[in-house]
Amino acid sequence: MRSLTLAEARERAELIAVTSYAVELDLDRGDQVFGSVSSITFTCGSPGADSWVDVKARSVEGATLNGVRLDPAGIRDGRLPLPGLAADNHLVVRSTMGYSHDGQGLHRATDPADRRDYVYGHLFLDAAPTVYACFDQPDLKAPYDVTVRAPQDWVVLGNGAASQVAPGRWELATTKPLATYFVTVCAGPYVSVLAEHDGIPLGLHARASLREPLERHAGQLFEVTRQSFDYFHGLFGIRYPFGEYHQVFVPEFNAGAMENPGCVTLRDQYLFRGAATRDELLSRANTVSHEMSHMWFGDLVTMRWWDDLWLNESFAEYMSHRCLVDATEYSDAWVDSSIVRKVWGYGAERSPSTHPVAGVAALDAQSALQNFDGISYAKGAAVLRQLISFVGDDAFLDGVRAYLRDTSHGNGTLADFLGAIERASGRDLGPWSDGWLLTAGRDSVSVELVTGPSGGSAGDPLTGESAAPAVVTSARLLRVPPADHPADRPHALDVAGWRDGVEVVRVTVTVTDDRTPLGDLLGATAPAVLVPNAGDLTWARVRLDDATLDGLPAQLGRVPDAQARAVVWSALIDGVHGAEVSPSTFLDVFAATWTTEANASILARMALYAEHRIVPHFVPRVAQAAALARLADSARELLGRAEEGTTRSLAAARLLAGTSDDETLLRAWAGGSGLPHGLEDDGDFRWIVVRNLAARGLIGASAVDAYRAKDDTLQGGLNALMCRAALPAPAAKAWAWEQLTGRHGRSNYEMVHLARGLWMSPDDALVAGYVDRFFRDVPAMSGWVGEDALSRVVLAAFPKIFTAETGVRSSAALRREDLTPGVRRSLVDADAELREALASRAAFATDFRTPVS
C-alpha cells in the first residue's frame, strides 16, 4: 500500500483545511467487520483543484462530495480521488472495514477466560484510514464528533466523554482539534474504576477477567495520575485541555502505551496478575506519566510532519522521569532510566541503522516509523538534559511554556521549539543543535589517570598494616567522537571514584575539548573504581579503565551510589556488545555483587540481561550450561537470605526458576509445592518454571496443555504457545514454525511468543534447518501482517544460531530489494546483534575453553 510522502502532505496541507469530522462506527456486525461512516467538512484554498481522501476499507458502499456521488472503483492505493473541490466542502464516505489482529487499526481480541471480545483503536502511524476515511497526516487537525453502535452489554470509551443515549448506542463529546492518528475508540465489556481529581473525571478500564488486578492496582495508578497532573499543571502553566482522562488497559498492544487525548491505551500486562517487583511498578508509573506529558507535547501541540516525531517522544521521556523524581515515591527514576531506557538506546546507537535525533528526512510516513526507536526516546531525553545544562533550567522551562502557548491546538517544528528556547535563554543553539541533534553517534568518554605514592607509610611488616593508598598525580578526561559521525558535542558531566565503599573523588566538568584536565582530582586518594559520567548526565559510551574493571568484583557492591552502579553496569553491557569486555568478566561481576544489590531496577534488569542476553548471545554454546548454573547459584543464595515477599526475593526466585537444572525443584514449583512466599498463586511465575521444564525436555506437549488449562487466559495462552514451541523435538519445532508463518490469523503477540520459543533449543542442530526458512518465509509475511507487528516478529524470529553461516545468509537477505522498510530495519538491527555476538565469541574464546564453574 502506497505511503504518504512529505511532498504530497505539504501540497495537500497548502490546499485544504479540515473543519470537522463526524464519524459513525457500527461495531455490532460480528467479529470480522464493522461499519464506518465519515462526514468531513473542509475548505479548499484553490476552488476547482483536485485532491484525495485516505480510505483503506474492505469495501466502500458509497461516497458523495458536496452531494455528488463519487465512484468507489476509483480508489487506488487507499486513496479516493476528490475532483473539482469547492471553497467549502462536505464529504461523506460509507464503508465496511475489517478488524485487525496485529495491533494496528481497530484491533479485536477474544479473551479466552470468558470468550468475550474487546476492541480498541490504535491508529499510529498511518492506520487511521483502516477505521474511517480521513485526510491522514498530522498537520490536518480537526475536532471530532464520534458515535458508536455496539452490542448492548459493551462499554464504549473514546477521546470525548462517552454517553449511552440508547441501548447499544453511544455518543462521544466533541473533541478539541486532533491529529488523525490520535483518534481512538475502545469498546467491549470493560470493567471500570472511576475517580476525580482537580475537576478532571478519571477512569481506569480493563477486560472483565482482569477486574481483580485492576481494582488491586487502581490506588497506585490513580496516585501517580494525580501527582503527574499536579506536576505538569504547575510546570507548563496550562491546564489539561481534553476533558475526561481515561486509561484503558487493552490486550495484544504493540507498544507500551499510546497517548490518545482523553483516552490513553496501555498494554494490559501492566495490570500485574501476580507479584510485581518495584522496578516493574516504577516502569508502569513512568508510562502513566509519559503518556500524560504527551497531552501537552504531542497532543496539544503536534509535530507538523513525522520527521519531528522524536520531539514528542524525547520530551515525554524526559518529563516523565523528571516528574517521577520530583513528585512521586520513585525518586530513583533516573537510575531506572540508566539501566533500562539508555541501555535500549545505546543498542540502537551501536547499530548501522543509527540516525540523528532530529533532522532525519522522513520522505514518507512509513520511513518515519523506522526511526521510532531508543534514539528517539532515550537519547533524545539525554540530549534535553544536556540542553538544560547549556541554557539553564529556568530558561528551558520558559521556552517550553512559550512554545506550548504559541502553538496550542496546532502544529510545531524543531525550529519552532529551538526558537522558543533561544528567545528565552538568549543563547544561539545552532552549533549545539548541529552536534547533539543533527549528527548521529555518541562520543566515548574515559579518564586517563596517573597515580603515585601518597608519602605515607609503606606498611608495617610486623603488624600487617597496609600501606597508605596511592594518590592521583595526573588526571584528564578523554572525549573521542565516533570516526563515522564526527561532531563537536559539549558534555556537562561528572567523574567520581570510590575505594572500599568511600567516595574519594568527584568533580563536575563541562567538556568542550577532546582532552580536559581534571585538576580537582590531583592529590586525592586513588580510587579503586573510577566512573566517568557517574551521574549519567550525558549521552556517551563510558569506557572503564583496566584497574576499575579488575576491581569491580570486589568493589562494585560496596559503591553506595546506585546511579554510579547503574552506569558501571551499562558500561559493562556496552563493552560486551563491543567485544571490549569479556562476557566472563560480566559474569564474574554478577556473581560477586548481584546478591548485595539494593536497587530494584539494577537487581531485576541485570538478572534478565544476564539470563536472556549475555549467556545465550555471547557465551559459547558449550559453556552456556555452566554459565546458567552460576546464575542459578547467585539466585539460590539471594533467595535464601532475602526477606520474603520483597523485590529481592521475587527477582531471585524468577532467576532461579529460569536457570536452574534442578528437576525436583522445578517440578515442585510447577505443581505449587514449596513456592517462595507471595508466589503461591502466581500464574506468571509458574510459566517461567514451565518454560524451563519444557525447554529442557522434562515435560511434553500434554503437560504444557495441562498447565494451560489451569490458566485459561490470554497471557496463559501466549505462555503455552512459547512453551510448546520450546519443546526440544523436531515435531514441536515444525509445528511452531508452521503456526508462526502460516496464515492462521495469529495475533501479533502469538507470533512473537511462537518465535521466542522456537529458538530455545539444547543444541543448534535441532533448529538449524530454520535459518534459511526464516529469511525466506518471514519477510513474505508482509503480505498479511502489518508493518509494525511484522517488524517485531522479525526481531523475535531472527535465527539465534550465532555462526558465520547465519551471517552469510543474513547479508544475502539484506541485499534483497523486495523487503518492506520495517522488515529491512529489523533485519539490519538483528544482523548487527549477530555480528556483535560473533565478534565477542571470537575475541574471548579462550575465556571459555574450560566451561565456567
Side-chain angles (χ1 to χ4, degrees), residues 30 43 196 336 344 402 407 422 434 455 707 732 819 852:
T43 61
E196 183 175 313
D336 186 80
W344 170 45
T407 51
E422 285 183 330
D434 287 343
Y707 289 114
L819 302 177
V852 180

Side-chain angles (χ1 to χ4, degrees), residues 444-716:
S444 295
V445 294
S446 60
V447 175
E448 187 180 77
L449 201 68
V450 179
T451 63
S454 65
S457 169
D460 190 330
L462 296 179
T463 64
E465 293 181 356
S466 60
V471 298
V472 177
T473 59
S474 174
R476 60 179 181 174
L477 190 143
L478 306 181
R479 177 191 68 173
V480 181
D484 48 351
H485 300 289
D488 184 10
R489 283 174 280 258
H491 295 266
L493 53 80
D494 59 353
V495 176
W498 292 263
R499 175 175 289 276
D500 298 329
V502 176
E503 183 177 302
V504 294
V505 295
R506 186 178 291 267
V507 60
T508 300
V509 296
T510 298
V511 175
T512 57
D513 296 304
D514 290 344
R515 290 171 174 77
T516 303
L518 303 176
D520 290 348
L521 298 188
L522 301 183
T525 299
V529 173
L530 182 63
V531 186
N533 194 30
D536 206 13
L537 300 175
T538 194
W539 181 266
R541 181 168 194 167
V542 172
R543 283 191 160 93
L544 303 173
D545 59 58
D546 291 342
T548 293
L549 284 172
D550 291 341
L552 286 179
Q555 293 283 334
L556 181 60
R558 305 177 68 179
V559 173
D561 187 336
Q563 184 66 76
R565 296 198 305 275
V567 171
V568 168
W569 279 112
S570 176
L572 287 174
I573 290 170
D574 242 340
V576 171
H577 279 270
E580 296 176 350
V581 172
S582 171
S584 179
T585 299
F586 183 101
L587 294 172
D588 288 345
V589 178
F590 187 95
T593 68
W594 183 76
T595 59
T596 64
E597 179 55 58
N599 181 268
S601 296
I602 300 174
L603 182 80
R605 300 299 174 150
M606 285 306 93
L608 288 170
Y609 213 89
E611 178 186 357
H612 296 290
R613 181 57 64 91
I614 296 296
V615 173
H617 284 225
F618 298 100
V619 175
R621 171 72 81 174
V622 296
Q624 287 180 8
L628 289 175
R630 291 189 81 188
L631 299 183
D633 287 343
S634 294
R636 192 177 295 106
E637 177 186 344
L638 179 56
L639 185 60
R641 69 188 194 193
E643 183 180 350
E644 291 185 340
T646 63
T647 287
R648 287 168 59 77
S649 176
L650 178 54
R654 286 176 176 174
L655 181 60
L656 186 58
T659 59
S660 176
D661 63 355
D662 185 341
E663 183 178 352
T664 301
L665 174 71
L666 295 174
R667 288 190 180 278
W669 279 5
S673 175
L675 286 162
H677 176 73
L679 296 176
E680 294 84 358
D681 298 311
D682 193 323
D684 291 329
F685 178 77
R686 181 171 60 232
W687 281 114
I688 298 175
V689 181
V690 174
R691 184 197 70 212
N692 191 354
L693 286 166
R696 293 179 184 275
L698 299 176
I699 58 174
S702 60
V704 173
D705 291 341
Y707 289 114
R708 170 73 175 87
K710 296 178 182 180
D711 187 10
D712 192 20
T713 64
L714 270 174
Q715 196 60 40

Side-chain angles (χ1 to χ4, degrees), residues 341-377:
R341 309 295 287 180
K342 290 185 80 170
V343 166
W344 170 45
Y346 286 157
E349 192 83 283
R350 288 192 302 267
S351 174
S353 65
T354 186
H355 55 87
V357 174
V360 180
L363 300 182
D364 60 45
Q366 278 300 323
S367 66
L369 185 60
Q370 310 320 308
N371 293 327
F372 195 61
D373 56 19
I375 293 173
S376 302
Y377 286 79

Side-chain angles (χ1 to χ4, degrees), residues 5 8 62 78 148 153 171 239 247 326 378 459 463 490 509 537 542 590 609 707 728 760 774 777 792-793 798 826:
T5 68
E8 290 171 330
V148 179
D153 63 336
E171 291 182 356
R239 279 190 60 80
Q247 297 173 85
D326 291 350
T463 64
V509 296
L537 300 175
V542 172
F590 187 95
Y609 213 89
Y707 289 114
M760 295 179 188
F774 167 83
D777 296 349
R792 300 169 194 272
V793 172
F798 189 89
S826 291

